[in-house]
Amino acid sequence: MKTVDLVERIEGEAKLVCSWDDGIINDARMEFLNFRGFEFILEGKSALDALVYTPRICGICGQAHLKATVDALENAYENMGEKLTVTNKAKLLREIGLNIEMIDSHIKWFYLFIMPDMAKLSKKEYSNYEPFSGKKWLKGTAIASEIIKSLAIIGGQWPHTSYMTPGGVMSDPTLLDLTTMENYLDNAIRFFEEEFAGVSFDEYLSFNSESDLEKIGLDLKDFIDISFEKDFHNIGKAYNRFIALTNSISFKAGKKNKRLNCNLDFKNICESTRYTFNVDSNKESSQAYGWAKNVKYLDNFYETGPLARAVINERKFITKLNKKFDDSVLTRVMARMDEFAYLLHKTKELIKQIDISEQSYIKPKFSFNMVDETTGISSVEASRGSLYHEVKIKYGKIDSYNVITPTVWNLGPGDKDNYSIAQKAIIGNDSIEKAKIVLRSFDVCSVCTTH
């Protein structure tokens, strides 16, 4: 038997196709069918135009695409012999903007995507999580809207800001601006304590054992209760293998497969188009069924995202949950909610470090028009995981642009005898409802995947 389900309430649309044997899913694939073509649109454009185009790849993580582009262009400058000077103030404002976007995304994901589907499976009454009308759905939307205002203060708008540029940022906040940003984050901390987790923020940040799950209340407890009621602490497991590509102020790079290795080489990243449509039909594989590619590191599939970052950064609470429950739905969702708290705390610290007397921007001495050819690469930790950009510039114009998104790492088409991360996590489930929650636990982004 085969079933085909449309996965909705994500960025774009995707199809989940499952094959069944005696009531159990024995094969699964995700089909991403809406081609967008940003990489082709960028070809022939002036190099700096990418700062405007790439943030529009996604309405959720546009900030991450902007920073990835800025970092790739600055790497291209370095490769043409001019390492740009970026002040500490500019570095902090970039990191703060990225973190706020992730905080906003995490809270929306919990209330708008995970909990409405989880609530439907429970025998208990959870109608407050009903999409579009439930009180908790509306509450999650409201606090997310408040949090993102703090990004608009330095970015000028959200989404699709373009305030980062090679050499710094086009933003010069005052002390009042920074205080206002802190106030928005304080509102989010109060929400965390009084509406979300039912425990003081400082006490939550001290959690270091799986037994601390029992101290959690309110909406996060609802998720934990449903998880144990429906066995999600045993469901959704893949390879327990993780990767984070980026060293930043907030995270460190590394991969973990039994042992933690912090030395990564981008040359070990490999893309495959065996199951991927091609805009040139003459080059298309006969096995193609969607626009997602496969991406591996040293020929292995790795999970990227908040759980990977927590494990690689050895945050104690999530590390203990991962040790007890592996890479289950419970652990994956808790890791993302733990990152919500971690980033609130971290971002407040970063705001306090800003010296407003520093310059925000130092103009590069040269332009891309002054060299024949250069290339640049970058990686950024986005809400859903590691984002990779690669640009080749000739005579000031973009010759090629390649993007590898977190969804491609997690939800690629896999191989016939080697399933991708999400495929591995879905196979073995006994209902399509559970399979879709496993898929949601990775936060599907169709528009990023089919960029």
Side-chain angles (χ1 to χ4, degrees):
M1 183 180 80
K2 181 179 285 189
T3 58
V4 180
D5 262 66
L6 184 65
V7 184
E8 300 169 316
R9 286 189 290 108
I10 59 174
E11 279 286 287
E13 299 84 29
K15 286 200 300 187
L16 174 60
V17 181
C18 296
S19 297
W20 300 77
D21 182 17
D22 198 21
I24 302 294
I25 297 173
N26 65 357
D27 196 16
R29 71 185 196 188
M30 286 68 67
E31 297 183 359
F32 298 94
L33 301 173
N34 299 318
F35 178 67
R36 303 177 74 227
F38 270 82
E39 291 158 323
F40 296 96
I41 293 169
L42 284 165
E43 290 179 6
K45 299 289 192 300
S46 295
L48 295 183
D49 285 0
L51 297 167
V52 177
Y53 280 88
T54 66
R56 284 156 175 81
I57 289 176
C58 182
I60 296 293
C61 59
Q63 194 80 185
H65 281 285
L66 173 63
K67 183 151 191 317
T69 296
V70 168
D71 289 350
L73 293 177
E74 288 183 346
N75 182 242
Y77 265 107
E78 188 173 351
N79 291 335
M80 58 191 247
E82 187 193 1
K83 183 173 174 56
L84 302 188
T85 299
V86 179
T87 65
N88 190 52
K89 175 185 175 182
K91 291 176 182 174
L92 287 169
L93 288 172
R94 290 176 179 180
E95 187 84 0
I96 289 166
L98 192 59
N99 287 355
I100 292 171
E101 181 176 76
M102 293 167 74
I103 292 167
D104 172 76
S105 177
H106 291 353
I107 201 69
K108 282 178 180 169
W109 176 74
F110 182 82
Y111 282 103
L112 275 60
F113 302 120
I114 281 290
M115 283 307 289
D117 286 1
M118 294 280 288
K120 289 177 185 173
L121 296 182
S122 178
K123 295 177 181 176
K124 297 181 181 177
E125 167 61 41
Y126 287 113
S127 60
N128 278 342
Y129 292 101
E130 186 71 22
F132 305 109
S133 60
K135 287 183 180 178
K136 293 183 185 292
W137 167 289
L138 297 173
K139 182 181 71 176
T141 304
I143 188 62
S145 297
E146 283 294 299
I147 293 168
I148 208 65
K149 288 177 183 174
S150 56
L151 173 54
I153 289 173
I154 55 174
Q157 67 178 57
W158 189 89
H160 310 321
T161 62
S162 292
Y163 74 101
M164 302 180 199
T165 191
V169 295
M170 296 295 109
S171 179
D172 204 12
T174 64
L175 283 177
L176 179 59
D177 290 333
L178 298 179
T179 301
T180 304
M181 292 176 72
E182 284 192 85
N183 287 339
Y184 281 124
L185 295 177
D186 285 338
N187 287 340
I189 289 173
R190 276 194 291 277
F191 172 84
F192 184 93
E193 294 177 330
E194 299 170 6
E195 304 282 348
F196 181 67
V199 61
S200 79
F201 196 60
D202 289 340
E203 183 182 0
Y204 178 85
L205 293 176
S206 72
F207 283 4
N208 58 14
S209 165
E210 68 270 15
S211 64
D212 288 325
L213 280 174
E214 298 171 5
K215 300 175 184 175
I216 293 171
L218 303 175
D219 300 350
L220 190 52
K221 185 177 186 302
D222 288 343
F223 164 76
I224 295 168
D225 287 347
I226 298 172
S227 291
F228 284 105
E229 176 191 345
K230 307 308 293 186
D231 207 30
F232 281 109
H233 58 301
N234 291 315
I235 290 174
K237 297 180 180 181
Y239 300 103
N240 220 20
R241 197 158 60 205
F242 307 107
I243 195 166
L245 296 179
T246 316
N247 276 310
S248 67
I249 299 172
S250 303
F251 301 107
K252 67 179 181 183
K255 66 183 179 72
K256 186 168 186 181
N257 180 17
K258 296 181 182 175
R259 290 184 178 180
L260 177 62
N261 183 343
C262 293
N263 297 316
L264 297 183
D265 188 340
F266 289 163
K267 293 178 181 174
N268 294 324
I269 298 173
C270 181
E271 284 185 291
S272 164
T273 58
R274 184 176 180 182
Y275 302 97
T276 312
F277 295 142
N278 196 310
V279 290
D280 182 349
S281 58
N282 294 321
K283 298 179 181 177
E284 189 169 303
S285 165
S286 60
Q287 301 177 72
Y289 62 82
W291 288 102
K293 300 176 183 176
N294 271 330
V295 60
K296 298 179 182 177
Y297 188 90
L298 286 174
D299 206 32
N300 281 316
F301 289 111
Y302 281 86
E303 176 172 347
T304 189
L307 176 54
R309 289 192 285 260
V311 171
I312 290 166
N313 284 266
E314 299 177 290
R315 294 209 308 273
K316 290 182 180 178
F317 183 35
I318 300 305
T319 300
K320 289 290 178 65
L321 292 183
N322 177 242
K323 189 173 182 180
K324 186 173 180 64
F325 302 114
D326 297 323
D327 48 347
S328 63
V329 169
L330 171 71
T331 315
R332 194 170 292 120
V333 175
M334 286 302 300
R336 192 156 183 177
M337 294 303 99
D338 183 77
E339 192 170 273
F340 167 41
Y342 167 74
L343 288 177
L344 278 174
H345 174 71
K346 185 72 179 179
T347 307
K348 283 203 66 177
E349 281 186 345
L350 298 183
I351 292 174
K352 293 183 188 303
Q353 293 174 25
I354 292 176
D355 178 357
I356 61 169
S357 66
E358 273 194 293
Q359 289 179 270
S360 294
Y361 171 70
I362 299 174
K363 187 177 180 180
K365 297 174 184 173
F366 306 101
S367 80
F368 287 114
N369 294 323
M370 300 172 75
V371 295
D372 293 345
E373 185 174 333
T374 184
T375 60
I377 58 175
S378 68
S379 70
V380 165
E381 289 306 313
S383 304
R384 301 176 179 91
S386 298
L387 172 64
Y388 176 87
H389 280 208
E390 182 176 4
V391 61
K392 185 175 183 180
I393 301 166
K394 284 187 176 180
Y395 307 109
K397 304 291 185 183
I398 295 171
D399 186 59
S400 66
Y401 204 107
N402 187 38
V403 175
I404 302 175
T405 64
T407 307
V408 175
W409 280 98
N410 290 333
L411 283 79
D415 297 320
K416 199 169 185 179
D417 53 354
N418 186 15
Y419 291 116
S420 69
I421 297 296
Q423 284 178 315
K424 174 78 172 170
I426 289 171
I427 291 171
N429 275 282
D430 59 5
S431 81
I432 194 66
E433 290 78 15
K434 290 180 180 177
K436 289 173 75 171
I437 287 174
V438 172
L439 191 59
R440 284 201 187 285
S441 72
F442 294 97
D443 194 8
V444 188
C445 184
S446 175
V447 296
C448 271
T449 304
T450 59
H451 49 274

